[in-house]
Amino acid sequence: MSTPPILALALPSATGRVLSIQSHTVQGYVGNKSAVFPLQLLGYDVDPINSVQFSNHTGYPSFRGQVLNGEQLWELIEGLEANNLLFYTHLLTVCDPVMGDEGKLYVPPELVSVYREKVVPVASMLTPNQFEAEQLTGYRISSEKDGFEACRVLHHAGPSKVVITSLNMDGELFLIGSHQKSKSHPPEQFKIVIPKIPAYFTGTGDLMTALLLGWSNKSPDDLASASELAVASLQALLQRTLQDYEKVGFDSKSSSLEIRLIQSQDDICRPQVRYKAVKYS
């Protein structure tokens, strides 16, 4: 007697179903390890595809692991499609490797044009840091006004929502957000001033992008409110991370800190907004 085929039906999600294509590390929280759990806490079904699988992030003296190539990635996509499982409300991907930060390019210069010409036009939301925004726009950001103008340039390229997650100038750190709800109207723009924490953390950009996706989908017409909630969760998590390292006598300035993600579940689910968005006109 033959065995009947197994039919597994993936039920739709009330909040959303996310395909997250990012790096994976066995130890620590970067890439998918930093993004999947927070989105699940916010009520999303998340299916991760690991673009790399490393023992640890590359900031350590050494690492081991594998890199998923294009053919292997496509094989996974085809497997989902063959079983009618390739249906998602959101695609979350952080360009891996990240373009760069703090004035340093992490990828070959010729790859920047690929991001600019192929990735940006199909994105609905873009979350670059200051350096990445400069690379994508060719626009030097040396003031708040420059940051908002860079957002407009990126809107013109495609995305309706742009959040430059960290601008560092004149001793101040802040986030800039911009939402162009209609091509015939100017974007709604704002900034959130963020306190500086005297330490370096890993995985914060991946976490911030996930939080922005989660909260902006819950409030699709209010990017400022979504950004306030994302900033609130991230800041509470970073403060907890710093405090926990200092409790055991670790010098927080000596190396990067692994974020305390699991210990910050309440801050992710129920963030307490302390830093408010200020509209830009």
Side-chain angles (χ1 to χ4, degrees):
M1 184 175 67
S2 61
T3 303
I6 297 174
L7 176 62
L9 177 63
L11 297 175
S13 170
T15 305
R17 184 175 293 276
V18 181
L19 179 64
S20 181
I21 306 177
Q22 298 189 61
S23 61
H24 169 85
T25 59
V26 175
Q27 191 279 333
Y29 295 98
V30 298
N32 269 331
K33 286 281 291 289
S34 186
V36 172
F37 182 60
L39 282 169
Q40 290 172 331
L41 286 177
L42 293 177
Y44 295 85
D45 287 309
V46 188
D47 293 345
I49 291 180
N50 298 325
S51 57
V52 306
Q53 178 168 264
F54 289 160
S55 55
N56 44 268
H57 69 73
T58 57
Y60 282 92
S62 65
F63 64 93
R64 297 289 187 274
Q66 303 82 37
V67 177
L68 191 73
N69 62 36
E71 184 178 341
Q72 292 167 328
L73 171 61
W74 193 244
E75 187 176 357
L76 294 174
I77 297 298
E78 287 180 328
L80 292 169
E81 187 176 33
N83 293 287
N84 296 317
L85 296 173
L86 195 62
F87 65 95
Y88 295 95
T89 57
H90 300 84
L91 169 64
L92 172 62
T93 183
V94 177
C95 293
D96 203 2
V98 175
M99 283 179 59
D101 199 6
E102 297 182 350
K104 181 180 179 182
L105 199 62
Y106 298 159
V107 299
E110 58 270 20
L111 198 55
V112 175
S113 63
V114 176
Y115 291 153
R116 185 188 298 124
E117 297 167 11
K118 301 294 185 181
V119 178
V120 172
V122 298
S124 56
M125 177 187 284
L126 208 63
T127 60
N129 58 41
Q130 180 177 350
F131 178 71
E132 290 167 335
E134 291 176 335
Q135 293 296 310
L136 291 173
T137 61
Y139 200 92
R140 174 65 176 166
I141 302 174
S142 56
S143 66
E144 285 182 36
K145 184 179 179 181
D146 292 342
F148 289 117
E149 184 57 36
C151 289
R152 293 188 185 96
V153 173
L154 292 170
H155 285 315
H156 184 72
S160 61
K161 296 178 180 178
V162 178
V163 178
I164 302 178
T165 55
S166 57
L167 280 175
N168 193 344
M169 53 188 63
D170 299 327
E172 206 171 37
L173 180 67
F174 50 92
L175 169 151
I176 278 183
S178 186
H179 187 187
Q180 187 164 36
K181 298 179 180 180
S182 168
K183 291 294 184 182
S184 60
H185 292 86
E188 297 175 3
Q189 299 185 306
F190 60 90
K191 72 171 182 178
I192 302 176
V193 178
I194 304 170
K196 287 187 175 183
I197 299 177
Y200 180 78
F201 306 88
T202 57
T204 55
D206 305 323
L207 172 58
M208 185 63 175
T209 297
L211 293 171
L212 284 168
L213 186 160
W215 288 114
S216 65
N217 184 58
K218 292 174 183 289
S219 302
D221 293 323
D222 193 348
L223 183 59
S225 175
S227 299
E228 288 175 345
L229 291 164
V231 167
S233 290
L234 183 60
Q235 286 296 305
L237 178 147
L238 296 183
Q239 290 289 353
R240 173 174 284 102
T241 300
L242 183 62
Q243 291 168 6
D244 285 357
Y245 272 94
E246 289 179 340
K247 283 179 182 177
V248 296
F250 186 85
D251 181 4
S252 59
K253 297 179 181 180
S254 63
S255 65
S256 60
L257 310 183
E258 298 280 5
I259 57 174
R260 302 285 279 171
L261 187 66
I262 305 305
Q263 295 78 8
S264 303
Q265 295 179 50
D266 287 345
D267 298 314
I268 293 169
C269 296
R270 292 173 289 277
Q272 303 298 312
V273 174
R274 297 175 58 192
Y275 312 106
K276 302 291 290 184
V278 178
K279 290 183 178 180
Y280 178 78
S281 58

